[in-house]
Amino acid sequence: MEAVRKALQAYNIKGAVDKIALFGSGHINDTFLIEAGKEEYLLQKLNQNVFQYPERIENNLRALLEKESDLFVKHYQTSENTYHHHNDNGIWRLTNFVSAGYAPQTANKLHEVAEAAKGYGRFTTFADGLDKEKFTETIPKFHNLTWRLEQLNDAIKDDLANRSKSAKNLINTTNDFRWILEKLRTLFSEGLPTRVCHNDTKLDNCLLAKLESTFCNIIDLDTLGPGSVLYDFGDLMRTTLSPTAENELDESKIEIRSDYLAALQDGFSSTCNSVLAPLEKENLLFGGLYMTYIMAVRFLTDHLNGDAYYKISFENENFVRARNQLRLLELMSGL
Ligand code: GN1
Ligand code: MG
């Protein structure tokens, strides 16, 4: 925790640090809850294996936060007026901790999902007013399915963890859904707009108020940048239509609930309908298939590569995640 204390010094927070604890459930960065006097903060250490262009995250964040909004939590600046602090131990950033808020881990309450959809819709409307030119992809080709499928092919060939054979069924199933790639290409050729997106709109990147479960804030702005609204609506579908967690062991529990889908559609359109083009509105549902497919491909690739990217808490967790995404995708295809 010495590294945490040292990083905190860059932010000149008031009062002595009373407590530092690991926090949260993100798959990528390390997050620490800090108590100092009466204040609580979150300090994050950026995963530099994943984020190789940290200056892009800083720049996107600056471009986002220069326009005042209560959509986001407070991001603190260092004495050098940057959001990120670089030192020998890594790259850090500090935000306030919203103690009156919570991030729902699974979608078990309809009104929570409706609120999250309204919140992400508000984000879409807000981002529509930003200068697109100021934003850059923080992970090149992040939502590029062509590239993700190439990565999967390489992983199958290299078979670094000797898992290709046991994952054969999942690999075959991923091939059944290649039409999804073609469909997205067609949509872009028909004029699907690129806009400033969040690009990681899972349910737990949305904070709700503990008391009333109303929308509070959008968090995790690492992947902010160019994208399609289909990605943002799609990732919401991916993480809320089934009541199950991404790593659910019992595949038979995965389902698609039509009332949740209706709540998503109503909530999202209530706050961003006016900024969406007809082609976007008509294809929001397809976004769910696209995002579920790309996540299946990414989890499976990581499983075959020996779990190099996503944090795991049990053996074969990425296999389970990929299997669950593919099951969800099968169910979504019937929508
Ligand atoms: C990662 O950072 P976190 O845990 O919110 C991932 C997303 C995936 C998500 C799946 C930078 O998000 O793309 O959708 O896991 N972020 C990155 O849970 O790869
Ligand atoms: Mg993230």
Side-chain angles (χ1 to χ4, degrees), residues 117 121 233 264-274 276 284:
F233 187 77
L264 275 190
Q265 289 170 311
D266 291 350
F268 196 71
S269 63
S270 74
T271 48
C272 72
N273 211 30
S274 62
L276 297 185
L284 285 177

Side-chain angles (χ1 to χ4, degrees), residues 269-290:
S269 63
S270 74
T271 48
C272 72
N273 211 30
S274 62
V275 302
L276 297 185
L279 195 60
E280 294 179 304
K281 288 183 207 167
E282 285 155 21
N283 289 286
L284 285 177
L285 275 194
F286 171 69
L289 278 87
Y290 187 82

Side-chain angles (χ1 to χ4, degrees), residues 26-29 51 200 202 205 220-223:
H27 295 341
I28 310 283
N29 299 320
F51 295 107
D200 189 8
K202 50 189 198 184
N205 278 335
D220 190 352
L221 304 170
D222 291 331
T223 51

